[in-house]
Amino acid sequence: MQQRHLGRRGFTAGALGLGCMGFSQGYGPADDGESIKALHRAVELGVDLLDTAMSYGQGHNEQVVARALAELANRGEVKVATKFGIVRTEQGVSLDGRPEHVRGYCDASLERLGVDVIDLYYLHRVDPEVPIGETVQAMAELIDAGKVRYLGVSEVTAEQLRAADAVHPITAVQFEWSMLWREPELDIIPAARELGVGLVPYSPLGRGLLTATLDRDTVGSSDFRRTDPRFLDDNLERNLRQIEALRTVADSLSITPGQLALAWLLAQGDDVVPIPGTRRLDRITENAAAAEIELSPAELDRLDLAVRPDAWAGDRRSFAVPATTRTTT
């Protein structure tokens, strides 16, 4: 798989990574055996960036990744990204970016992952009680201690990204971005490119909608869709019409709608590394193949005309994110 550069300090990864959240939460009950097979298949196909977090399944996700890594002959070729800052307990979900807690969270992730160093360590969400620069300073100390190689932030504003990067170079910024949700193109993406920060879109398949495999009866099968305005009532009807247009263009190119959606995202720049997530082996294979699809300028123009960027409906719902509403013109 083609390698792409993230940031300005030498971090590289395959054009597509693998988002691991669904192995532990959000998309049905966990099945560790199935998840490990999916991880192995992804790596076999050239995916070398695995994205997890301490909050996914309260540590379960990192442990599943560790089990999969331990069985890989080419373990040294795989990079692990994990995140801290979202804390899940029996009392609920909270944010914690306090500098004095950062090293402890990192040490716990290192132990669960069974590694000596984390390749890319993200602040999962900004703690509103702590200036982001203070959290990043504590993260930078992990690099000095040899526990982390590169730093990232997730779901930040442009101003927060600049403040973080002023303390220590940020390699990657993670945020939701897909044909279904293009709001980042107005703010965080220009800021990241100004700073030389790599772009790591999560939910690049629109929480499954862009695969054209969901319908009115199945969108509620996931906790992450059931209360999301984009999947409800009239918004869903409008969005499903967009999906039919997406399917028509994909069919004309002899690829799947999901592959077209990923190819579109990859075409937005060579600083983009999406992290689609799935446990299905056939979907892993389908997604990886999208990295080989190059859309021409004419095909991209045709796609924009058929699947109009301004025709998607509904705001988004996601935990502790800075932007949830669509910009109106």
Side-chain angles (χ1 to χ4, degrees), residues 222-237:
S222 160
D223 293 342
F224 279 80
R225 302 186 197 105
R226 194 174 295 119
T227 58
D228 189 307
R230 295 169 294 183
F231 295 86
L232 300 176
D233 306 322
D234 291 342
N235 290 338
L236 177 61
E237 295 300 323

Side-chain angles (χ1 to χ4, degrees), residues 60-270:
H60 169 262
N61 205 266
E62 291 177 325
Q63 292 170 332
V64 171
V65 170
R67 288 174 55 190
L69 290 174
E71 298 172 5
L72 287 174
N74 59 339
R75 163 66 187 94
E77 301 173 11
V78 179
K79 303 172 182 71
V80 176
T82 193
K83 304 182 279 295
F84 78 97
I86 296 179
V87 181
R88 296 180 184 275
T89 67
E90 294 180 357
Q91 286 71 45
V93 187
S94 60
L95 301 178
D96 184 5
R98 285 174 286 180
E100 64 269 25
H101 293 169
V102 172
R103 184 176 292 249
Y105 288 142
C106 179
D107 287 343
S109 286
L110 286 167
E111 183 175 356
R112 285 189 293 265
L113 288 165
V115 298
D116 296 323
V117 59
I118 293 166
D119 295 293
L120 179 55
Y121 199 44
Y122 287 96
L123 172 61
H124 204 166
R125 295 288 189 274
V126 176
D127 184 338
E129 302 300 321
V130 181
I132 191 170
E134 295 182 12
T135 306
V136 172
Q137 180 58 52
M139 295 169 68
E141 292 170 7
L142 299 174
I143 294 180
D144 295 336
K147 296 173 183 286
V148 168
R149 292 194 173 96
Y150 299 92
L151 302 186
V153 292
S154 176
E155 286 290 3
V156 294
T157 65
E159 292 73 21
Q160 288 168 338
L161 179 60
R162 290 189 180 95
D165 192 71
V167 173
H168 188 279
I170 299 300
T171 289
V173 58
Q174 195 170 129
F175 49 88
E176 183 177 351
W177 185 23
S178 71
M179 294 182 71
L180 175 65
W181 187 255
R182 297 184 58 170
E183 301 309 295
E185 296 169 28
L186 302 176
D187 45 34
I188 191 64
I189 291 173
R193 285 179 166 158
E194 171 193 325
L195 297 168
V197 177
L199 310 175
V200 180
Y202 71 83
S203 294
L205 291 170
R207 304 191 179 186
L209 189 67
L210 297 172
T211 65
T213 59
L214 299 176
D215 58 30
R216 297 165 189 81
D217 298 323
T218 58
V219 292
S221 62
S222 160
D223 293 342
F224 279 80
R225 302 186 197 105
R226 194 174 295 119
T227 58
D228 189 307
R230 295 169 294 183
F231 295 86
L232 300 176
D233 306 322
D234 291 342
N235 290 338
L236 177 61
E237 295 300 323
R238 290 178 58 184
N239 291 337
L240 287 175
R241 288 196 291 272
Q242 289 274 87
I243 296 302
E244 285 308 308
L246 179 69
R247 188 197 303 274
T248 297
V249 177
D251 287 347
S252 74
L253 297 173
S254 299
I255 59 178
T256 68
Q259 288 175 326
L260 180 54
L262 290 175
W264 172 84
L265 200 47
L266 290 167
Q268 302 309 302
D270 58 10

Side-chain angles (χ1 to χ4, degrees), residues 244-316:
E244 285 308 308
L246 179 69
R247 188 197 303 274
T248 297
V249 177
D251 287 347
S252 74
L253 297 173
S254 299
I255 59 178
T256 68
Q259 288 175 326
L260 180 54
L262 290 175
W264 172 84
L265 200 47
L266 290 167
Q268 302 309 302
D270 58 10
D271 56 353
V272 180
V273 176
I275 50 170
T278 181
R279 288 185 295 188
R280 289 178 47 181
L281 296 183
D282 59 340
R283 196 72 71 200
I284 291 281
T285 303
E286 177 185 328
N287 291 348
E292 307 303 319
I293 299 169
E294 293 188 17
L295 299 175
S296 69
E299 289 166 340
L300 288 167
D301 288 343
R302 179 188 168 203
L303 184 57
D304 262 356
L305 288 172
V307 187
R308 291 184 13 244
D310 61 352
W312 298 102
D315 297 330
R316 70 165 175 156

